[in-house]
Amino acid sequence: MVTPFTADGALDLDGAGALASRLVEEGCEGLVLSGTTGESPTTTDAEKTALLRAVREAVGGRAALVAGVGTADTAHTLELARAAEKAGADGLLLVAPYYSRPPQTAVEAHLREVAEATALPVMLYDIPARTGTRIEPETMLRLAGHPRIVAVKDCSYDLLGVQKVLHRTDLAYYAGCDEQALALYAVGGAGWVSTVANVVPRHVRAVLDAYDAGDTAGAARRQLAANDLIEAMTAAGLPGTVTAKALLARLGLPAGPVRPPLLPAGRETADGLGALYERLTGGV
């Protein structure tokens, strides 16, 4: 979920509650807060806690809340994990430590230490294009033995490696790359942690629902139909935060500006996104 801000860049807690409620009402079973799409690098620890509490108040028990707590610093990550547990999170999203590019032994030690810090289940986040470091399949296999490491958000673009881990563990794999959601689901994935669902939650949910109902052709049609918008929002040169907020603003939904160093989408980009949204949804 994006983190809504007011026009002057302050945290918009009322907007966050309203957006969270809409997402749940339109089919999202869980919400990930303070992830990359939620601009976690530019929100303070206090803001992350306030956001989690506001969304919990808005959705109650209607959806699981997963708090992003990963940073480049183990000590800071531990603090965020404990704060999220106290604030009512149902689980933690834990990205590999970024920028310093630690070896696999250090990555594993970091992830285990955070998993030990609370009683909450942990979803690992493998996104080497952003972190500079992969959580390698062999490391995943070892981490799968930890009782609180139960899931993975996958942005590795290594479907073969993912299938090796799926075959040998009980880890629940969630697609973090919107265009790969159905492909991963079809080989045993558990679901979809989606940026695009900020604006088209019903369409995202319909892909998985069709597959669950045995309508594999229908699921494929829905995934393919969504891919033009997915590409424009996540693979056309702008971060998904920027494109999601541009579309949400057009729809009159809580979003607000992005925080620097991000810049808002230009008028031409926003117009193109709006046209793709209209094509997918028929204006609904």
Side-chain angles (χ1 to χ4, degrees):
M1 192 180 98
V2 301
T3 299
F5 299 129
T6 61
D8 62 358
L11 189 63
D12 180 6
L13 294 179
D14 290 339
L19 180 61
S21 291
R22 173 184 182 265
L23 293 172
V24 173
E25 288 162 5
E26 297 205 0
C28 296
E29 294 177 331
L31 301 173
V32 176
L33 306 176
S34 297
T36 309
T37 300
E39 296 178 78
S40 59
T42 54
T43 56
T44 68
D45 293 3
E47 286 176 326
K48 290 177 174 65
T49 297
L51 175 68
L52 177 57
R53 287 177 173 155
V55 172
R56 173 59 74 202
E57 182 176 355
V59 304
R62 294 181 293 156
L65 301 185
V66 178
V69 299
T71 76
D73 172 20
T74 301
H76 188 198
T77 304
L78 292 168
E79 291 174 3
L80 288 176
R82 292 172 180 134
E85 183 178 38
K86 290 178 182 178
D90 297 301
L92 306 175
L93 179 69
L94 181 57
V95 73
Y98 41 84
Y99 191 76
S100 57
R101 300 187 69 180
Q104 289 297 294
T105 52
V107 170
E108 182 177 348
H110 169 90
L111 300 174
R112 286 186 182 277
E113 187 169 354
V114 180
E116 291 291 334
T118 78
L120 296 177
V122 172
M123 175 187 286
L124 303 179
Y125 185 11
D126 189 18
I127 183 165
R130 286 185 180 269
T131 64
T133 303
R134 177 85 190 273
I135 308 176
E136 296 288 350
E138 290 302 318
T139 304
M140 287 287 192
L141 291 173
R142 292 191 297 272
L143 289 168
H146 193 287
R148 282 189 291 282
I149 295 176
V150 299
V152 178
K153 178 185 176 184
D154 179 65
C155 287
S156 68
Y157 285 99
D158 177 14
L159 191 56
L160 179 59
V162 166
Q163 289 177 82
K164 290 178 181 178
V165 180
L166 277 171
H167 183 58
R168 296 171 58 185
T169 75
D170 293 324
L171 289 173
Y173 262 79
Y174 292 79
C177 302
D178 288 83
E179 73 277 15
Q180 292 195 342
L182 181 57
L184 179 56
Y185 203 57
V187 293
W192 194 340
V193 178
S194 173
T195 295
V196 173
N198 277 282
V199 294
V200 286
R202 284 184 293 169
H203 294 270
V204 166
R205 179 60 188 260
V207 174
L208 305 185
D209 285 347
Y211 189 89
D212 287 342
D215 182 11
T216 56
R221 284 195 302 271
R222 286 170 171 82
Q223 174 77 67
L224 294 172
N227 279 348
D228 285 345
L229 181 60
I230 288 170
E231 182 177 16
M233 287 186 64
T234 65
L238 288 177
T241 306
V242 173
T243 55
K245 283 196 164 183
L247 264 177
L248 287 168
R250 287 206 159 214
L251 297 172
L253 294 168
V258 292
R259 283 183 175 174
L262 296 179
L263 294 173
R267 178 65 178 270
E268 183 177 352
T269 297
D271 287 346
L273 290 166
L276 289 170
Y277 173 87
E278 294 284 339
R279 185 190 305 169
L280 178 62
T281 66
V284 177

